[in-house]
Amino acid sequence: MTSLAPALAEIRDDFLALEQPDRLQLLLEFSNELPELPERYRDHPDLLERVEECQSPVYIFVEVDDSNVVHLHATAPRESPTTRGFASILVQGLAGLTADEVLAVPDDYPQTIGLTQAVSPLRIRGMSALLGRTKRQVREKLAA
């Protein structure tokens, strides 16, 4: 089993340390912490990819900088706190990781953070899709 990036491991452990109802509260806190899109993307929604698997309109854009560090940008409506929370977990959890570290994140990470009882399987699949599309964009950027 590959070791999980420290920020993702910490987020997972924070969720698992809580009882079910409190996990939803923590997810809500994450949803409030989703960073705003950088200005260069706010005016260019065409650069963002819609994550179709999510019930809410979630869009992501991945940058890989010259140091091979990944920057995930995401946007989701405030009235969709679950989806925003998932996006925020990934934005924060992947921050500062290299492309290889992001690609090494287990695909089942969304199933490991203790929310499968608290939110619908459809929502967990949405978070899995967010992670999957992030990895795909990273691979595309590396190949370019």
Side-chain angles (χ1 to χ4, degrees):
M1 184 175 147
T2 55
S3 70
L4 199 53
L8 286 172
E10 186 180 327
I11 290 168
R12 180 198 58 208
D13 296 345
D14 288 348
F15 273 103
L16 295 178
L18 298 170
E19 297 297 319
Q20 283 295 340
D22 296 331
R23 290 178 188 173
L24 281 176
Q25 187 55 46
L26 182 57
L27 187 61
L28 200 61
E29 288 170 25
F30 270 101
S31 85
N32 293 327
E33 294 169 2
L34 181 65
E36 287 295 317
L37 283 178
E39 210 165 295
R40 62 188 179 277
Y41 297 122
R42 267 180 253 156
D43 302 332
H44 293 284
D46 50 302
L47 295 174
L48 301 169
E49 176 182 1
R50 169 121 194 223
V51 180
E52 299 290 347
E53 295 84 346
C54 291
Q55 290 172 300
S56 310
V58 181
Y59 295 87
I60 65 165
F61 187 80
V62 174
E63 293 173 318
V64 180
D65 68 20
D66 296 338
S67 307
N68 227 16
V69 172
V70 171
H71 305 275
L72 172 62
H73 305 288
T75 176
R78 292 223 171 265
E79 57 275 10
S80 305
T82 305
T83 308
R84 271 182 76 84
F86 285 154
S88 181
I89 288 169
L90 290 178
V91 167
Q92 294 181 51
L94 300 178
L97 297 185
T98 64
D100 288 340
E101 290 169 325
V102 170
L103 294 175
V105 173
D107 291 332
D108 69 347
Y109 177 76
Q111 285 85 20
T112 67
I113 59 175
L115 287 169
T116 50
Q117 312 285 297
V119 300
S120 72
L122 193 63
R123 298 228 182 254
I124 297 287
R125 274 199 302 278
M127 185 180 182
S128 297
L130 273 166
L131 179 59
R133 285 172 185 264
T134 298
K135 288 178 164 190
R136 197 202 72 238
Q137 284 196 24
V138 167
R139 283 191 294 270
E140 287 171 359
K141 299 280 187 300
L142 292 177

